[in-house]
Amino acid sequence: MNAASAASSGSAIPHRRARVRAPELIGKGGWINTGGKDLKLADFRGRTLILDFWTFCCINCLHVLDELRELEEKHRDTLVIVGVHSPKFVHEADHQAVVDAVERYQVHHPVLDDPELATWKQYAVRAWPTLVVIDPEGYVVAQHAGEGHAHAIERLVAELEAEHEAKGTLRRGDGPYVPPEPAATHLRFPGKALLLPSGHFLVSDSTRHQLVELAPDGESVVRRIGEGDFKEPQGLALLPDGRVAVADTVHHRIRAYDPESGAIETLAGTGRQWWQGEPTAGPAREVSLSSPWDVAWWGGKLWIAMAGVHQLWTYDPEAGTVQAAAGTTNEGLVDGPAAEAWFAQPSGLAAAGDRLWIADSETSALRWIDAEGVVHTAVGTGLFDFGHRDGTAGQALLQHPLGVTALPDGSVAVSDTYNHALRRYDPASGEVTTLATDLREPSGAVLAGDDIVVVESGRHRLTRLRLPEEAVRVEAVAHRTQRAATEVAPGTLRLDVVFQAPPGQKLDTRYGPSTRLLVSATPPELLAAGDGQGTDLSRELELNAQVGEGVLHVSAMAASCDDDPDNEYPACHVHQQDWGVPVTVTEGGAGRLPLVLAGMDDQG
């Protein structure tokens, strides 16, 4: 966006709000949820438009979808939300996969499929998720990266509604959303499966918010469980007392289901999403969780893949407590002692003796934690490299795996979701092979005798496979994230995280600094100086000219509270986002890197 194109006349705009003419919406994949109609920016004139730049692998993007639902309903006649799907992984550029994701996550607004990131580039977006607010006259008035902005956007939407109604530039009416036809299948985007002692299968039927018990054939429905009790459930694990622990993902809870009595109760979680600064240990039903995706019984405790905050937590049924067990909440791939390790949306767990295996989806990695509490990586290198390549673990590649299953011989099967494959890693040989291809978004698997039963989420079914003696041979493919690198000049780079507190709020400094900035790089040698943690949202980084390219990892947090001196207990909000910015060091490159957390970059 070019700030020079901002409107010169702003007399009717409260707070002298900055405005920039919004670029056109372009996406080679076309439109979804519009009944086949192609939309242009002009079609939204007269309404407030929120562009939600998302990709369906991203847990933070899924959180924002949920945050926006109430706003979408409250202002349905003056506000339109448009999802701009901007892929990270190669699989996410497949149009049918985007169509499936829109149904899977119940997106009830138009979605522009932008596989080549054309609109992403036009709006200078740098992070998933990013929200851009466009006023009824077609001007960008705000941008927000990350989660936790719904309260600020709600206030801005109300202001725009009143302002443009007074100006006569508001147009009320129904939006352009056209729902798809419902499909008749026994399961709809199932997540995980568990073999019950009865020989039946229990499946988390995620999009229909229930559990389904299937007969041993894996097809015949015995009963449906918990309709209305769950919200997009995922992981399942058998507890020692015979009950089943359920990762009730969107409710941010761990539930227990008793197959004998049918009773369902909450084991852990408050039903609210955990935010930075909240307790990470305590009585299980008094501590908030964040998108638990899988569960596994290991070492006398229930381990939880807490995808929403890139950590592993544990639930102790005897003490009735939960606590964070591994991970710092920073997103990335760092091994070592559990408290110092970094994960990226851990989504699959499997207990195997002295190891707990982890499918770490956003780093396309297979990892494990040992009995001493040390995290290791078997396959995977980081957030930006992925593909389908067999061979030695050090050079093998996966693509966004969601599940891992311990096999009888000590190896593990990986549900390699975005490669539509079942892979195998053998710790004894250090080799990765392919067991099966032509699956559709496998998200988990369970052993049943000599067979492995795969949850084919994209085909809405369980698929039984005989474990083969020999692995299937596939052509090796390697990929990197298709985001264009930012050209930056060698030497000093000014990093500015832009944060403007929402109207009526101020930075919360009652207990010390209300902002935090953490910077690192891959490779670490890219930064000669400027890495580490601090409280200032601006920082000078020194780039190593001998390292030509890499990724800057930036994590920012800001807390703001209602600015009302008469209110002893003002409402406060945390705004946070992680960026991974690919950069190329080149003469003539930029000397400043702005990242918008909330507001508008007035130096852009």
Side-chain angles (χ1 to χ4, degrees):
M1 293 181 292
N2 185 351
S5 66
S8 59
S9 174
S11 59
I13 304 171
H15 319 300
R16 296 189 61 81
R17 188 184 300 121
R19 302 203 307 171
V20 177
R21 176 64 72 181
E24 188 53 84
L25 305 179
I26 306 166
K28 189 175 181 180
W31 288 87
I32 303 166
N33 279 356
T34 64
K37 181 180 178 182
D38 289 337
L39 300 175
K40 298 292 184 184
L41 202 61
D43 294 323
F44 305 103
R45 192 62 56 86
R47 299 167 182 270
T48 299
L49 174 63
I50 296 177
L51 301 182
D52 176 14
F53 288 86
W54 69 299
T55 189
F56 64 76
C57 71
C58 161
I59 190 67
N60 311 91
C61 299
L62 304 186
H63 290 166
V64 167
L65 282 174
D66 289 326
E67 286 180 6
L68 293 176
R69 293 187 201 280
E70 184 177 343
L71 179 67
E72 195 169 23
E73 179 61 30
K74 184 175 180 181
H75 297 273
R76 61 187 307 169
D77 64 336
T78 61
L79 169 70
V80 177
I81 296 174
V82 167
V84 182
H85 189 269
S86 313
K88 171 186 175 182
F89 291 99
V90 169
H91 171 59
E92 292 173 315
D94 173 61
H95 181 69
Q96 186 57 49
V98 182
V99 172
D100 287 349
V102 167
E103 181 192 350
R104 180 194 298 262
Y105 297 117
Q106 297 166 72
V107 179
H108 294 159
H109 51 245
V111 172
L112 176 63
D113 181 10
D114 182 19
E116 297 177 346
L117 302 180
T119 296
W120 166 287
K121 294 170 188 172
Q122 286 274 75
Y123 282 82
V125 174
R126 295 184 183 274
W128 295 278
T130 290
L131 299 171
V132 175
V133 182
I134 300 172
D135 73 13
E137 293 179 296
Y139 289 90
V140 175
V141 293
Q143 181 172 325
H144 301 265
E147 302 177 51
H149 300 293
H151 66 286
I153 292 176
E154 155 70 29
R155 181 161 184 159
L156 176 56
V157 166
E159 283 183 5
L160 291 170
E161 188 174 293
E163 171 189 334
H164 287 274
E165 188 150 55
K167 289 174 65 176
T169 50
L170 187 73
R171 178 169 58 88
R172 295 180 181 272
D174 293 333
Y177 168 65
V178 178
E181 289 293 324
T185 54
H186 290 318
L187 303 172
R188 204 69 191 161
F189 298 107
K192 308 285 185 183
L194 175 69
L195 183 65
L196 295 171
S198 64
H200 290 191
F201 294 97
L202 190 65
V203 183
S204 54
D205 195 23
S206 301
T207 298
R208 292 193 178 133
H209 314 298
Q210 61 187 353
L211 309 181
V212 178
E213 185 178 333
L214 300 177
D217 63 8
E219 297 178 8
S220 305
V221 175
V222 176
R223 63 177 61 87
R224 298 182 182 274
I225 301 140
E227 190 172 358
D229 290 301
F230 303 110
K231 188 74 178 291
E232 295 182 28
Q234 287 286 342
L236 306 166
L238 201 60
L239 296 171
D241 63 7
R243 294 186 298 168
V244 176
V246 182
D248 193 1
T249 304
V250 176
H251 278 153
H252 309 293
R253 286 187 172 116
I254 302 299
R255 315 294 290 280
Y257 162 63
D258 187 340
E260 294 296 323
S261 68
I264 298 169
E265 67 169 301
T266 297
L267 297 179
T270 62
R272 299 184 306 275
Q273 184 184 339
W274 183 91
W275 284 99
Q276 289 283 358
E278 293 188 19
T280 57
R285 288 195 288 269
E286 298 175 17
V287 177
S288 294
L289 310 180
S290 181
S291 296
W293 206 274
D294 203 7
V295 283
W297 184 261
W298 184 66
K301 294 179 181 178
L302 184 73
W303 286 71
I304 305 165
M306 202 71 76
V309 285
H310 317 299
Q311 289 182 307
L312 304 182
W313 287 38
T314 57
Y315 164 69
D316 184 340
E318 290 192 12
T321 56
V322 292
Q323 67 176 35
T328 64
T329 75
N330 294 111
E331 185 178 17
L333 194 153
V334 177
D335 289 339
E340 301 170 15
W342 290 22
F343 297 94
Q345 282 179 223
S347 301
L349 298 175
D354 60 357
R355 291 186 181 188
L356 179 69
W357 292 98
I358 306 149
D360 201 30
S361 62
E362 278 292 287
T363 53
S364 296
L366 173 65
R367 307 175 74 183
W368 86 89
I369 185 168
D370 63 28
E372 283 71 48
V374 178
V375 177
H376 311 261
T377 297
V379 182
T381 60
L383 286 166
F384 299 99
D385 292 293
F386 54 90
H388 191 156
R389 187 163 66 198
D390 287 340
T392 59
Q395 57 90 50
L397 293 172
L398 309 169
Q399 187 179 179
H400 197 79
L402 290 178
V404 59
T405 307
L407 299 179
D409 64 356
S411 66
V412 290
V414 180
S415 294
D416 192 5
T417 309
Y418 287 3
N419 280 328
H420 309 300
L422 190 67
R423 311 286 292 283
R424 176 177 177 264
Y425 168 66
D426 183 0
S429 67
E431 293 285 316
V432 175
T433 53
T434 298
L435 296 175
T437 57
D438 194 33
L439 301 168
R440 182 70 182 174
E441 295 191 357
S443 54
V446 61
L447 289 175
D450 294 330
D451 297 336
I452 188 165
V453 176
V454 181
V455 182
E456 254 195 294
S457 189
R459 289 197 177 111
H460 320 292
R461 70 187 188 191
L462 301 188
T463 299
R464 185 182 294 266
L465 304 172
R466 179 57 57 97
L467 284 171
E469 297 289 330
E470 300 267 340
V472 178
R473 292 287 175 194
V474 296
E475 184 179 351
V477 181
H479 300 289
R480 294 212 83 202
T481 297
Q482 296 302 303
R483 292 166 58 191
T486 298
E487 293 188 351
V488 293
T492 301
L493 176 67
R494 176 74 177 184
L495 171 66
D496 287 328
V497 174
V498 178
F499 177 76
Q500 296 159 2
Q505 294 191 5
K506 64 178 181 179
L507 288 173
D508 178 20
T509 56
R510 292 172 298 166
Y511 307 109
S514 62
T515 55
R516 185 189 70 184
L517 181 66
L518 176 67
V519 180
S520 62
T522 303
E525 297 77 26
L526 176 64
L527 280 178
D531 61 337
Q533 184 166 311
T535 58
D536 195 335
L537 291 181
S538 293
R539 185 182 301 183
E540 290 193 348
L541 311 179
E542 289 295 325
L543 300 180
N544 185 345
Q546 304 304 311
V547 180
E549 62 179 12
V551 178
L552 291 175
H553 303 284
V554 180
S555 178
M557 184 274 288
S560 62
C561 294
D562 290 345
D563 187 9
D564 181 358
D566 296 327
N567 186 353
E568 187 178 355
Y569 303 104
C572 297
H573 307 274
V574 175
H575 317 258
Q576 61 187 60
Q577 175 62 18
D578 295 337
W579 291 267
V581 183
V583 297
T584 300
V585 182
T586 180
E587 292 293 340
R592 176 176 177 264
L593 177 63
L595 301 175
V596 178
L597 178 60
M600 296 281 282
D601 178 24
D602 56 13
Q603 298 182 49

